[in-house]
Amino acid sequence: MAHNMTETDQLITDFESIFAKELTPKLAGDYVANLVEALGGQDQPLETLVQKGIDLHEYVGETLYGPLIVGYVNWVEAMCEDINHTGPVFFALRDAAPLQVAASVLWQNKDIYPVDVYANRPMLNIEDEIDPQWAKANGNVVKYLGMLGLAQMKNVVWADTGAWGTVVKALKVGILNNADFYPLFLYSHNPYIPGYLNGLLAKCGIEDSFGEVLNDSVECVFPQPHIRPLDVVQVNGSWQVQLETSSYLSQLWGQAALLGVQKAAVGALLEQPSEGEQSALLQLKALSLKAKETGQWTGVLPTNTPTWSKGGEFLANWPPNLLP
């Protein structure tokens, strides 16, 4: 029993260390501690704790966030129709993985289809205030994205969770300068980039800033199977992103959350009765308030991570005609 508890402690510590790079050490510690408490604490068999986490994350992916993710994918499809776009829609991994899973279900037999692409701030030499890593990839990133055909396309539609557009600007200026570039965010801080949640929040009469809380919450309830990649390497003549496996619990619970999204998308595809987008958003807002009032894990963060201190300056310097 002592051995199992030691193993449990180590697995939870590894899980928390991954979140510390996404949130901040303080927020990560609070989040993981509250999650483990919601699962019944560490004083239980490891197998039981793991299975409870699997069940909970699948529920969260299907019931809490599934309706919004399905709504986002349908919104992207409508936006593609508006600009007469057919073909690939690029989903920026890792964060857009839940969105890509839903699109893979909902866009079967349609004239648009999801394509995975890795392009993050460190890979493009953009500093991250929470986790200031710098990429080693340099020019290899351009070769990797070129291999996907991005530089040759007239229209590029880019699906991501958001929120400022630092990667979007770097891509447009450095690689897609001849393309019409259409980034579509789950939530946007940038008035030049459409955000699905921004419109839905306005419809529900909820402050726009809650979208930032939801964006950060999505990062938490969909743990990543891989650590944020930094390197692009050449393998057998092909440029590939070098992926490093994340923590054990991140892999298992993240996979469960994505399975929940897949179930939500299948339900929507079959037109089974499901909770509407607006009612789902109102429920998430209530759960965030509950988390703030009680300190309990609810599936939604009580507050967002620190807002980017240079965001205002970044937007002030945004070229108005950069995007269509």
Side-chain angles (χ1 to χ4, degrees), residues 72-243:
Y72 168 83
V73 170
N74 289 334
W75 174 76
V76 169
E77 182 178 353
M79 297 289 274
C80 288
E81 291 176 0
D82 287 345
I83 62 171
N84 296 315
H85 175 75
T86 59
V89 175
F90 293 93
F91 282 75
L93 303 184
R94 303 168 304 154
D95 291 348
L99 313 177
Q100 187 273 342
V101 166
S104 296
V105 174
L106 295 169
W107 292 350
Q108 295 180 46
N109 303 316
K110 297 199 175 183
D111 56 7
I112 55 174
Y113 54 89
V115 174
D116 297 347
V117 58
Y118 285 93
N120 56 43
R121 288 185 296 273
M123 286 173 66
L124 294 167
N125 280 332
I126 303 167
E127 188 175 9
D128 187 313
E129 287 185 334
I130 292 178
D131 186 26
Q133 301 180 83
W134 292 86
K136 304 171 186 175
N138 302 318
N140 293 350
V141 174
V142 177
K143 295 173 184 176
Y144 159 69
L145 295 174
M147 187 186 66
L148 297 175
L150 277 164
Q152 291 77 41
M153 292 180 180
K154 182 179 183 299
N155 290 341
V156 175
V157 179
W158 188 268
D160 199 356
T161 54
W164 290 97
T166 53
V167 167
V168 165
K169 185 177 181 181
L171 287 173
K172 175 59 179 170
V173 172
I175 300 171
L176 303 175
N177 49 307
N178 293 320
D180 286 336
F181 192 23
Y182 297 92
L184 301 172
F185 283 176
L186 181 66
Y187 170 71
S188 179
H189 264 306
N190 190 325
Y192 298 100
I193 299 176
Y196 163 73
L197 284 177
N198 302 72
L200 192 60
L201 287 163
K203 283 183 184 178
C204 292
I206 299 174
E207 68 279 7
D208 189 78
S209 59
F210 183 59
E212 192 171 0
V213 176
L214 283 181
N215 240 16
D216 290 341
S217 297
V218 166
E219 289 191 27
C220 292
V221 299
F222 291 95
Q224 297 289 348
H226 298 103
I227 296 170
R228 182 160 59 171
L230 302 177
D231 294 343
V232 174
V233 295
Q234 194 170 26
V235 180
N236 297 327
S238 174
W239 292 100
Q240 299 179 13
V241 175
Q242 197 167 42
L243 297 175

